[in-house]
Amino acid sequence: MLIHRALGGASLLVLCGALSAASSSASAQTSLPPVTVDAPRAAAAKPVARRPGNRSAATRARPSVIVATPAVSQAARATPGEARANLYQAPNGQIQTTVDRNQFDNRPSFSVGDVLRDSPGISVKQGNGPRDFGISIRGSNARNGFGIRNLVIFDDGFPVTQPDGLSRSDLIDPRAYGAIDVIRGPSSALFGNYATGGALNFRTRPGGTINGIEYGVDGGSFGYLNNYLAAGQKVGNFEASLFASDARGDGFIQNSWFNTQTVNFLATLQATPDDRFTVKLINNNLDARLPIRLSLNQYYQNPFQQGCEAAGVVGCGSVPLFNNGFNGARSSLTAVQAGLGRDDRRTIVGGRWEHDFDNTTTWRNQFVFDDRNISQPTGATSAIGDFPSYNYMSDVTKRGEIFGMDSTTYFGGFYNTLVASSDTRNVMPGGNATLGLLQSNTFSDTSNYGVRAREELKLNPNLTAIAGIGWETTKLRGINTVYNYNTPNVPIATIPPPTTADRQFQNTAPELALLYKLNAEWLFRARVATGYGTPQVGNLFVISSGQNGNNTQLKTQKNLGYDLGFDWTPNNALKVSATGFYEFFKDELVTQATQVGAPNASFTFNAPRSEHRGVELAADWKFYPGWRLTAAYTYLDEVYTEYTENIVNGATFSFNRAGNKIPGISPNELTARLGYDHVAGPLAGLGAFVELQWKDSFYMDNANLLKAPGYELVNLNVHYKTDLTSDYFKALSLYLEVRNVFDRTYVASANNIGNTVTGAGVQNPASVLANTTGSIYAGSPRAFVAGMKVAFR
């Protein structure tokens, strides 16, 4: 860990030096057109078709210069730079929201939870770490116990979802980004496996936008301190940006201190008029302590787990640990006593080469190495392993005309793989997560490969049709070996025959969309699309009790979704967006928590059929000079339509869950913000806003007997930004935010829990379920956070 951090610091100094040197020599360079990943979709004049090696002098000097021609299709009018930009954003036809930097630049944005709530359809819940959040699109991840699943995530177009479908948000510091694209609804035709809920693309700020160095610091309640740096420059045909941050804090729940460092680097070189090379580097180190998830009753008694240095304190979570580290008697220890936590590293290195065959055709090749190294003593056991993955893709985008209609054609192929061997070891008393003997080992091999195609056709000036299809093969191989210690106090393992899995899944995902632009004010959208997601190898080896066993019968989950919506923009001051959706799931993968003390924290099963429907609303209204009202609202109604749950207590008892709500899904969520920014005079740059966050109560179990309470939070913010007249300083930003002004105690995360029965087969009531541990984390009490940022020339 120290070596990695030392290397990270050295790399930071070298990169800052390089960017500084580039900045000082900028005046000596001849500028070429910028190469960025967030160029607009604006139309330009039609390019003159050309062949490599047959250029005019003007074309050689400025590769993006175009010759105006009347009567041109819109698709053909895009410059190469604009065509490239669209490769990294959602194409037409996707249901998309973009969260822009100006929506979170004037506040202390510590995690994705602080910024993604500005998009309808998004829900977040606290995960297992300071920046670890479960992100859901239309409830996609609410039924999952940890991490992010059922959607795919990109960073500047580079995948940060590993081939097994797992994403973690530990490596995401919002300060690094200029915009975030939220793509809602089934999207496997374009993004492949796991995109049943949609996708996210985090776009870092181009170096030319930063144009210098920025330093900022945030600090506040519970020992929170975040120092961050952004440096960027565009010099000639080279553009680079670097972001680095160091965040640490004591946490508001006992045993939740953290120390995390993040580096995010992007560089693009236009080597020739036709060739661009992009390099991406992300590295995150996390050292954190982790509290135990509580039962609902424990949450009401002691939500922040205070006084839990000793076992037996009311409301303190505890975990039973083998005294000798492998069998026999156990002792119940709190998280503080056991020293539970995480010590993880994530490193992503990617490269991309783009080649223009002509002004309308771009070929792209991309390779990513992604290594996730974990040591996670989070309960009775500790997960330890290294998960290196490799991801390669190649595609071609062609813009032109078909039968006189504007056309954009896309075709690509991909291959990604992850092979790992991970251990699960017992945690034993002694503090600092003392490890006992090996409990199990899992070998896993996950591979995905396939092709995808997409056609966008402008049928007339007002109507655009989009059709796409993806085909993919997924191979899962795994061996789970359990180590049993049957003789008391004798550390000699008996190894039963291992559980093996060798599964292959083939999936196809078509989609079709229509866009109708009635006039400058109204855009109507209709879409039908499909998604699919295969289980993870680890899911195949955990049974409902949380013990290792055979769960290899799990199937691919699939969904078919219908969307109808509109965007209304009557003027520059108002935009309203509304989308209604109805999705039909088959074999939906649902995860629920197991009892604390089990070697595995969660169990996954297929629900044969379910339906998800809802409404997404967004509004942005600048109703008076300086005033702005924004709102993002989501309504979800998600139910099982075919699912019989079997619960074992001696005998097996079956319960029909058809018609029940899927647990973990809040039916109503709203984020609304009213702000004022002074635009002129001596107080220009001074502003403030009040923000409301509302989350409705939701069921925690399949029988719909127990609910997690909802909440309403109010946040207040005052901020100030001014340009500086100086040879060294460009701008100064200051802000102060009070979060949870009324100091509400609320549930920030509640994992689904399993129902239980009596020996007579009667389901235990809510009063019994409320004692089921391993579910709840409380949210932050009232907190004060202040920050400042200085931009240097």
Side-chain angles (χ1 to χ4, degrees):
M1 177 66 70
L2 291 176
I3 293 174
H4 283 297
R5 289 178 180 162
L7 290 175
S11 301
L12 175 60
L13 292 174
V14 171
L15 292 170
C16 284
L19 291 170
S20 176
S23 175
S24 65
S25 62
S27 60
Q29 304 294 324
T30 301
S31 294
L32 291 177
V35 181
T36 69
V37 298
D38 61 349
R41 296 180 185 266
K46 182 176 181 178
V48 174
R50 57 174 173 80
R51 292 172 305 201
N54 184 21
R55 312 174 188 280
S56 67
T59 302
R60 288 194 299 270
R62 300 183 68 85
S64 290
V65 170
I66 51 180
V67 180
T69 304
V72 196
S73 73
Q74 181 178 357
R77 284 196 291 259
T79 67
E82 290 162 349
R84 292 192 300 273
N86 293 341
L87 295 173
Y88 314 119
Q89 301 179 37
N92 284 334
Q94 301 295 128
I95 308 301
Q96 177 191 353
T97 305
T98 295
V99 180
D100 190 77
R101 184 178 180 84
N102 63 23
Q103 296 173 253
F104 57 85
D105 195 34
N106 57 5
R107 67 185 307 178
S109 301
F110 169 68
S111 70
V112 292
D114 296 327
V115 296
L116 286 180
R117 288 188 177 95
D118 288 328
S119 170
I122 285 282
S123 178
V124 297
K125 68 177 183 178
Q126 180 64 53
N128 296 335
R131 280 198 177 121
D132 185 47
F133 278 78
I135 304 172
S136 293
I137 300 177
R138 299 178 175 177
S140 61
N141 196 63
R143 55 192 186 272
N144 183 58
F146 79 100
I148 303 167
R149 294 197 177 277
N150 305 317
L151 59 90
V152 294
I153 300 180
F154 300 88
D155 199 299
D156 290 321
F158 292 91
V160 295
T161 297
Q162 289 200 297
D164 65 350
L166 180 64
S167 306
R168 301 299 288 260
S169 61
D170 302 299
L171 74 170
I172 299 174
D173 188 323
R175 296 291 189 197
Y177 300 101
I180 306 163
D181 300 314
V182 180
I183 301 161
R184 313 193 302 273
S187 301
S188 290
L190 188 60
F191 301 115
N193 201 359
Y194 315 115
T196 52
L200 298 172
N201 182 34
F202 291 81
R203 291 186 271 139
T204 57
R205 301 162 65 194
T209 300
I210 300 171
N211 193 30
I213 296 176
E214 297 175 357
Y215 167 73
V217 58
D218 296 342
S221 302
F222 314 112
Y224 171 60
L225 181 66
N226 183 16
N227 287 277
Y228 59 93
L229 172 77
Q233 191 62 261
K234 183 183 186 304
V235 182
N237 58 357
F238 176 75
E239 184 171 30
S241 63
L242 169 71
F243 175 84
S245 68
D246 178 288
R248 54 193 67 201
D250 298 328
F252 53 87
I253 299 177
Q254 193 172 38
N255 200 61
S256 64
W257 62 257
F258 61 91
N259 183 352
T260 181
Q261 294 77 38
T262 301
V263 174
N264 196 321
F265 176 72
L266 179 73
T268 300
L269 172 68
Q270 178 130 9
T272 74
D274 290 328
D275 297 282
R276 293 160 303 283
F277 296 91
T278 301
V279 174
K280 183 72 174 180
L281 169 66
I282 307 174
N283 190 82
N284 173 258
N285 291 302
L286 171 65
D287 184 10
R289 288 297 175 98
L290 197 67
I292 295 171
R293 289 181 177 269
L294 302 178
S295 69
L296 185 60
N297 281 341
Q298 288 174 324
Y299 159 78
Y300 285 130
Q301 294 166 341
N302 190 356
F304 307 114
Q305 304 189 40
Q306 299 302 305
C308 295
E309 295 87 355
V313 177
V314 173
C316 288
S318 61
V319 59
L321 305 180
F322 287 119
N323 291 336
N324 60 12
F326 56 93
N327 70 6
R330 294 178 182 253
S331 296
S332 291
L333 272 66
T334 66
V336 177
Q337 292 174 310
L340 305 183
R342 292 176 57 194
D343 188 358
D344 297 358
R345 174 186 55 80
R346 183 82 179 272
T347 302
I348 299 173
V349 181
R352 182 163 58 226
W353 168 45
E354 297 162 280
H355 174 74
D356 295 331
F357 290 109
D358 53 42
N359 276 358
T360 64
T361 308
T362 298
W363 179 31
R364 177 176 63 161
N365 291 275
Q366 181 171 282
F367 176 79
V368 175
F369 169 72
D370 183 346
D371 184 45
R372 174 169 51 97
N373 189 286
I374 66 170
S375 176
Q376 298 179 348
T378 59
T381 58
S382 175
I384 303 170
D386 188 52
F387 299 83
S389 65
Y390 305 86
N391 191 308
Y392 174 72
M393 56 83 65
S394 180
D395 57 35
V396 175
T397 300
K398 169 72 175 178
R399 299 174 185 274
E401 293 183 352
I402 296 178
F403 302 118
M405 295 178 289
D406 296 349
S407 167
T408 301
T409 303
Y410 169 90
F411 181 80
F414 58 92
Y415 171 78
N416 54 72
T417 185
L418 186 159
V419 179
S421 178
S422 58
D423 290 337
T424 299
R425 295 188 62 177
N426 291 302
V427 177
M428 62 185 295
N432 293 318
T434 302
L435 296 180
L437 299 186
L438 188 64
Q439 188 271 335
S440 66
N441 170 270
T442 300
F443 166 81
S444 61
D445 182 349
T446 303
S447 297
N448 304 278
Y449 60 87
V451 294
R452 54 179 68 112
R454 188 177 184 86
E455 178 65 38
E456 178 181 326
L457 199 61
K458 192 163 188 180
L459 302 177
N460 62 47
N462 301 96
L463 182 63
T464 301
I466 301 98
I469 190 167
W471 172 87
E472 183 169 0
T473 294
T474 299
K475 294 184 177 181
L476 303 181
R477 292 194 306 119
I479 303 173
N480 180 244
T481 304
V482 178
Y483 293 79
N484 293 327
Y485 303 90
N486 296 322
T487 304
N489 297 316
V490 177
I492 299 177
T494 300
I495 304 175
T499 304
T500 63
D502 190 353
R503 302 287 306 279
Q504 179 169 305
F505 306 89
Q506 289 192 352
N507 293 290
T508 304
E511 72 171 72
L512 177 66
L514 291 173
L515 298 176
Y516 178 63
K517 191 169 183 63
L518 177 66
N519 51 41
E521 296 183 9
W522 290 94
L523 174 66
F524 295 91
R525 298 174 269 104
R527 180 172 183 260
V528 55
T530 53
Y532 56 85
T534 59
Q536 181 189 11
V537 171
N539 301 150
L540 306 178
F541 302 130
V542 181
I543 58 177
S544 59
S545 64
Q547 299 296 320
N548 294 88
N550 191 329
N551 196 26
T552 58
Q553 79 288 344
L554 286 176
K555 304 173 184 178
T556 298
Q557 66 175 354
K558 300 178 180 180
N559 63 332
L560 168 65
Y562 299 88
D563 293 82
L564 284 173
F566 67 84
D567 298 329
W568 179 48
T569 313
N571 51 54
N572 291 333
L574 176 63
K575 180 175 181 179
V576 177
S577 177
T579 302
F581 66 89
Y582 207 124
E583 299 175 7
F584 298 87
F585 272 78
K586 180 181 179 182
D587 297 320
E588 182 173 6
L589 290 167
V590 181
T591 297
Q592 63 189 31
T594 60
Q595 284 288 341
V596 169
N600 300 282
S602 61
F603 159 72
T604 300
F605 61 91
N606 288 113
R609 294 192 183 276
S610 53
E611 296 179 6
H612 299 191
R613 53 245 179 176
V615 176
E616 300 162 332
L617 301 174
D620 190 342
W621 185 23
K622 300 173 184 176
F623 57 91
Y624 199 76
W627 289 91
R628 184 180 186 187
L629 174 66
T630 62
Y633 169 76
T634 304
Y635 168 73
L636 297 177
D637 181 23
E638 306 191 357
V639 297
Y640 296 121
T641 55
E642 179 187 340
Y643 172 45
T644 299
E645 182 176 19
N646 296 317
I647 304 176
V648 178
N649 185 0
T652 299
F653 303 94
S654 298
F655 300 90
N656 185 7
R657 304 304 190 195
N660 285 13
K661 304 291 187 182
I662 298 174
I665 307 294
S666 174
N668 295 283
E669 293 200 41
L670 170 70
T671 296
R673 186 181 304 121
L674 175 63
Y676 173 77
D677 286 278
H678 208 71
V679 295
L683 296 180
L686 180 64
F689 64 76
V690 58
E691 180 181 72
L692 170 68
Q693 296 175 4
W694 170 47
K695 183 166 185 170
D696 206 351
S697 60
F698 55 92
Y699 289 108
M700 299 171 61
D701 65 303
N702 287 327
N704 292 176
L705 300 175
L706 186 67
K707 271 191 171 184
Y711 60 83
E712 305 85 24
L713 303 179
V714 174
N715 305 319
L716 290 176
N717 174 287
V718 178
H719 52 268
Y720 176 70
K721 182 176 181 178
T722 183
D723 295 330
L724 301 176
T725 303
S726 167
D727 293 336
Y728 303 102
F729 302 101
K730 288 194 298 184
L732 171 68
S733 299
L734 304 169
Y735 39 84
L736 170 66
E737 187 160 313
V738 184
R739 299 188 169 182
N740 192 1
V741 172
F742 299 108
D743 202 21
R744 291 287 304 272
T745 300
Y746 66 99
V747 173
S749 176
N751 284 345
N752 298 343
I753 62 174
N755 291 100
T756 57
V757 295
T758 66
V762 178
Q763 291 187 101
N764 286 312
S767 58
V768 174
L769 295 180
N771 292 315
T772 303
T773 57
S775 178
I776 291 176
Y777 281 146
S780 173
R782 183 190 298 121
F784 298 84
V785 187
M788 59 85 69
K789 181 177 67 176
V790 179
F792 298 88
R793 297 188 186 278

